[in-house]
Amino acid sequence: MKNNLTNKAADNIRILSAAMVDKANSGHPGGAMGGADYANILYSEFLKYNPDDMSWPFRDRFFLDPGHMSPMLYSVLALSGKFSMEDLKNFRQWGSVTPGHPELDTERGVENTSGPLGQGHTMAVGAAIAERFLSARFGEWMSHKTFSFISDGGIQEEVSQGAGRLAGFLGLSNLIMFYDSNDIQLSSETDEVTTEDTAKKYEAWGWKVLTIEGNDTEAIRGALKIATEEKEKPTLIIGKTIMGKGAITDGGDSFERKVSTHGQPLSKAGASLDKTIENLGGDPKEPFQIFPEVEELYKKRQEELRQWVKEFEAEKEKWEKANPELAEKLESFLSGDIPEFDFAALEQKANTATRAASGTVLAAFADQVENMIVASADLSNSDKTDGFLKKTHPFAKNDFTGAFLQAGVSELTMACVMNGLALHGGVIPVCGTFFVFSDYMKPAVRLAALMELPVKYVWTHDAFRVGEDGPTHQPVEQEAQIRLLEQLKNHHGENSMLVLRPADGTETTVAWKMAIENTETPTALILSRQNIKDLPANSDRYTDALQAEKGAYIVENDANPDVILLASGSEVATLVDGAALLRERDGLKVRVVSVPSEGLFRSQEKAYQEEVLPVDVPKFGMTAGLPVTLKGLVGDAGAVWGLNSFGFSAPYTVLDEELGFNGENVYKQVKIFLGK
């Protein structure tokens, strides 16, 4: 009897999923119909959360990887009371809360934005790490599970290797993933693409693997029971499911296991929507309804969860009374408060590389910012995240008392994991690698910007001055690319990313201050490999550098300047050298401006922008990247000295001379620009 009701609830999800897609005339019904049994049992029997506060921090998490299976997620959440039938009817429509691929909406139970396959379950790895990190500090009383759902496509995406390897290596026994193995993908059956043994692959990574009939109620229930009791390994449940389960034609013939149902409405794929709904026990004239007995099943689950939350909160209260200082710290972590830190007191070495200056800041954070997690893609001693690592130790299996993640050579995996850490909450995620390898990370950086996650990226070796490593390691176009996210607005109308390229050690300190205080969007710090001369101080250098909080500021200024020189990062000091020659040789009046963030500068009031960069004064920019990086600042009448080609292999000092990045060439080019 129990299974009859459970199966009816799963059929309810199938009906709603198919109806949503057909009404929208767009979407992916087949996978949602096949995965409905697992989603139903997970939500009606296993997933623990607070029905009255979906952002309650001690909840289990569910991360969907195949975002195209959003109808399944929205439908099961509708059974849970988080979406209305009107919401489902407005699937994929303007202004609806049910977009084509799920977008982060914690209050309605959507834990992550998904769509680009492979990223969703890798975020789940990050959330599982965050849970272990916090439990290691505050106790197992607060432990919870992270559930994830992946498809054939997600398994094929290369990032799945990084996620599988890392989760197995760390023994994330709190991570349970269901693999919806229906042998169908968008344009073919899977055996036309791969015949690998997925179970053996995950076993080799250190996972517990269970293979079941993925539409069998008892098999799903039994696998989840085993998985939730596992103490040593992450668990992969391979569910052999049926694509388009329950779909039939007008003539009543089965239309299951068809490629066509993957990416189009049933009525376009060759099935009959009305007959399918009838076959599943629904009313074709009004498919958007929850069966009364299914509604009762989910209401009963809600009451069970409310009782569980009540008991949990009672235990939590006992723990808080016994551990008042820890309780206060936990509250601070979970609230997302900006940690107290005296940036003004931090001393930087003179004329240092900005990567080294960042390492100095991170070393201080290791002592004072207790909920920071730092990661590096096998480059900690080069990107100087080892400043942090030296004060702690890396995560290891059964040991999350440290605060450093050795991600290995897997930049995209690392970036996705950082998103998962941020989504879980309670921690501050930071990750580092060479700037040129931001190309590997871009898909995850883009999702961080879309989800408005405060991940901090430490991107070092910021230009051709990587030198002898040559053009494969020398970023040229990367800054222009990543700064596009300063122009792209998020759904709150704000710059979707804060991008900072500090000009010296002290400005790096201020950049980190800005990064820590930015809790609304991701932040990128683009840092030099080589030493940079400190910029001149008009008063106190830290006080001067605080002006970077407006995105751009005046470093040197002559009254009524004849020309304004502007740059970010290493090139600002070069402009200072060139400005000295222009004054000394030609008596020109020069202003030098540091622009660590054009996006932030453009967000300031017009009056400040015109104070720093008056419209009627000629502007000359210098960048180690593409000239377009500064084109918007110098204007059509201005000039930019930059790179229009890939770099070259040679010592960086030679490259500076050969490519014209020195004070003498600044003098020469400004004279040409001014026609003097």
Side-chain angles (χ1 to χ4, degrees), residues 163-375:
R165 171 187 58 79
L166 191 59
F169 174 74
L170 293 175
L172 295 176
S173 59
N174 57 338
L175 177 63
I176 299 164
M177 183 161 73
F178 182 79
Y179 168 26
D180 181 53
S181 178
N182 57 39
D183 300 324
I184 303 290
Q185 48 200 84
L186 185 63
S187 63
S188 72
E189 295 190 16
T190 57
D191 62 10
E192 295 178 47
V193 177
T194 178
T195 56
E196 71 180 7
D197 190 325
T198 301
K200 286 183 179 177
K201 181 170 70 172
Y202 276 83
E203 286 168 353
W205 286 328
W207 289 58
K208 175 189 283 292
V209 179
L210 307 169
T211 301
I212 63 171
E213 290 299 320
N215 299 114
D216 183 291
T217 298
E218 285 298 341
I220 295 169
R221 191 177 286 130
L224 278 170
K225 189 172 187 301
I226 292 170
T228 53
E229 292 173 356
E230 171 62 35
K231 301 298 183 185
E232 295 295 324
K233 300 177 178 182
T235 299
L236 177 69
I237 302 170
I238 301 177
K240 299 304 298 183
T241 60
I242 300 171
M243 169 69 81
K245 181 171 169 55
I248 60 174
T249 66
D250 276 323
D253 296 325
S254 172
F255 203 77
E256 297 176 336
R257 300 188 186 278
K258 302 294 185 184
V259 171
S260 61
T261 65
H262 184 292
Q264 58 185 318
L266 292 185
S267 57
K268 284 188 173 181
S272 166
L273 177 67
D274 287 354
K275 293 290 185 183
T276 297
I277 291 171
E278 281 184 4
N279 184 47
L280 293 169
D283 180 359
K285 294 180 180 178
E286 186 46 69
F288 288 99
Q289 55 181 306
I290 301 173
F291 298 139
E293 57 269 52
V294 173
E295 185 174 11
E296 188 61 32
L297 172 69
Y298 272 78
K299 281 184 177 178
K300 181 182 177 184
R301 178 59 177 168
Q302 306 287 301
E303 289 309 311
E304 291 171 354
L305 288 171
R306 288 188 178 97
Q307 181 59 34
W308 172 74
V309 169
K310 186 177 179 181
E311 293 168 2
F312 185 99
E313 287 289 351
E315 289 300 313
K316 175 173 172 279
E317 189 175 342
K318 289 180 185 177
W319 175 83
E320 288 172 338
K321 286 181 179 178
N323 303 276
E325 291 183 6
L326 275 179
E328 185 178 350
K329 184 183 294 185
L330 177 60
E331 174 59 29
S332 174
F333 286 8
L334 296 177
S335 67
D337 289 345
I338 297 169
E340 292 184 10
F341 189 87
D342 188 355
F343 287 93
L346 199 147
E347 293 186 12
Q348 294 284 7
K349 291 182 180 178
N351 307 317
T352 191
T354 53
R355 64 165 176 161
S358 172
T360 298
V361 178
L362 286 169
F365 284 163
D367 291 329
Q368 300 179 50
V369 183
E370 295 181 69
N371 63 331
M372 180 173 281
I373 295 175
V374 178

Side-chain angles (χ1 to χ4, degrees), residues 40-77:
N40 174 53
I41 293 173
L42 177 65
Y43 274 83
S44 65
E45 299 182 26
F46 285 88
L47 194 72
K48 294 181 178 179
Y49 59 95
N50 186 342
D52 305 310
D53 179 9
M54 297 296 279
S55 61
W56 187 60
F58 308 105
R59 68 191 184 279
D60 290 342
R61 269 72 165 175
F62 175 69
F63 283 77
L64 184 68
D65 191 294
H68 61 270
M69 289 175 65
S70 60
M72 179 189 74
L73 180 62
Y74 297 146
S75 295
V76 75
L77 287 171

Side-chain angles (χ1 to χ4, degrees), residues 629-658:
T629 307
L630 296 178
K631 187 64 180 175
L633 290 167
V634 303
D636 291 338
V640 180
W641 184 262
L643 285 185
N644 284 303
S645 72
F646 291 106
F648 305 90
S649 180
Y652 85 85
T653 51
V654 174
L655 291 174
D656 269 335
E657 296 303 313
E658 292 291 337

